[in-house]
């Protein structure tokens, strides 16, 4: 049986059944973009919601990760959580696939597209499947209240207690991404955390006020925990001041406090 997906992922793509069709709201024609342009800017391991349909109308709904592009106009995706039987039935060359990729850059976007399954690369738990690179996509921009500023700054999570060294990335007036060694934290969604942003790269060390935030999502890789946080109301003004006072160093090509 195909794996069940969160409601948001199901609503992100067109859902088709033998009895009828339900189509999620798609962006207007003004947001049509070339696939090559769009996917060259998508980060690896971005979320992908999709479904594959067989010639007899059977569908497999899944959720996976975007890996990257191949020079032969192909896209690489991780294989989803599917049984060997499901892989054999649904992941056949030429079967149509409809999908939505979540882009976390800038203001955020959903990228809708149609493609076809091309190949499955078997490698145990590290298997991939390849689909054709779509010529055109439809893009819904502005998923966030405010755009993220892509940067990397130092920081300290729980500066009054555990003092965990971390990196602060992709900050906006509403939140940021906190990255630290996987074994250092066990935070979960809903936890309230404190954070101090620091810049020790210059002649003098500069740091922000202590900011409070709520954990909204947690992702782990082989080495890191990546914690998406939303700033609490009492931290919004200090964050806005911090962003306003950021400087871009042309020599090091990065933002500094």
């Amino acid at each position: 049986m195909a794996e069940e997906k969160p409601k948001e992922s199901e609503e992100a793509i067109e859902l088709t059944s033998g009895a009828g069709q339900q189509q999620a709201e798609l962006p207007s024609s003004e947001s049509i973009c070339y696939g090559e342009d769009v996917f060259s800017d998508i980060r690896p391991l971005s979320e992908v919601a999709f479904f594959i349909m067989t010639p007899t109308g059977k569908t497999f709904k899944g959720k996976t990760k975007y890996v990257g592009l191949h020079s032969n106009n192909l896209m690489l995706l991780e294989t989803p959580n599917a049984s060997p039987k499901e892989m054999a039935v649904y992941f056949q060359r030429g079967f149509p696939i409809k999908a939505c990729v979540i882009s976390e850059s800038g203001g955020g976007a959903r990228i809708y597209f149609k493609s076809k399954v091309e190949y499955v690369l078997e490698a145990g738990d590290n298997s991939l499947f390849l689909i054709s690179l779509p010529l055109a996509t439809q893009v819904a921009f502005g998923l966030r209240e405010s755009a993220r500023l892509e940067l990397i700054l130092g920081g300290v999570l729980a500066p009054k207690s555990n003092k965990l060294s971390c990196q602060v990335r992709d900050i906006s007036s509403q939140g940021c991404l906190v990255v630290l060694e996987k074994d250092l934290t066990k935070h979960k969604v809903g936890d309230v955390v404190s954070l101090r942003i620091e810049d020790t790269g210059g002649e003098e060390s500069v740091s922000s006020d202590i900011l409070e935030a709520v954990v909204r999502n947690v992702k782990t890789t082989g080495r890191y925990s990546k914690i998406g946080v939303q700033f609490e109301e009492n931290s919004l003004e200090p964050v806005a001041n911090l962003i306003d006072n950021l400087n871009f160093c042309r020599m090091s090509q990065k933002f500094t406090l």
Side-chain angles (χ1 to χ4, degrees), residues 43-94:
R43 295 178 181 174
L45 303 184
S46 293
E47 297 283 349
V48 182
F50 71 93
F51 77 77
I52 297 173
M53 179 180 288
T54 70
T56 59
K58 294 182 179 179
T59 60
F60 176 89
K61 299 174 187 176
K63 186 177 179 183
T64 187
K65 301 285 188 181
Y66 171 78
V67 176
L69 298 179
H70 190 280
S71 59
N72 288 339
N73 292 323
L74 297 170
M75 288 174 53
L76 285 75
L77 304 174
E78 293 183 3
T79 53
N81 183 18
S83 68
K85 181 179 179 181
E86 288 171 330
M87 291 297 299
V89 170
Y90 294 99
F91 290 78
Q92 296 289 331
R93 188 172 189 181

Side-chain angles (χ1 to χ4, degrees), residues 27 65 97 177:
K65 301 285 188 181
I97 178 172
L177 181 67

Side-chain angles (χ1 to χ4, degrees), residues 154-257:
V156 178
L157 192 62
K160 291 185 177 181
S161 54
N162 297 330
K163 298 181 179 179
L164 303 174
S165 178
C166 64
Q167 284 186 343
V168 176
R169 305 180 184 177
D170 304 342
I171 194 169
S172 75
S173 61
Q174 301 294 320
C176 68
L177 181 67
V178 179
V179 181
L180 69 165
E181 295 287 340
K182 183 172 64 175
D183 296 334
L184 293 180
T185 180
K186 300 296 182 182
H187 285 103
K188 59 185 183 297
V189 173
D191 287 352
V192 177
V193 298
S194 57
L195 172 70
R196 185 172 63 228
I197 301 174
E198 298 182 337
D199 183 0
T200 59
E203 296 180 0
E204 297 182 1
S205 178
V206 182
S207 62
S208 71
D209 297 335
I210 294 179
L211 308 171
E212 294 183 345
V214 178
V215 176
R216 293 304 184 194
N217 60 77
V218 179
K219 299 179 180 179
T220 58
T221 64
R223 181 173 179 179
Y224 298 110
S225 286
K226 299 182 177 182
I227 305 171
V229 302
Q230 180 179 9
F231 295 123
E232 294 275 62
E233 188 71 27
N234 60 358
S235 295
L236 294 181
E237 184 175 347
V239 170
N241 292 334
L242 184 150
I243 294 174
D244 287 342
N245 291 320
L246 285 172
N247 299 302
F248 186 75
C249 178
R250 293 180 180 275
M251 183 173 296
S252 61
Q253 291 292 297
K254 65 180 182 180
F255 286 96
T256 60
L257 292 180

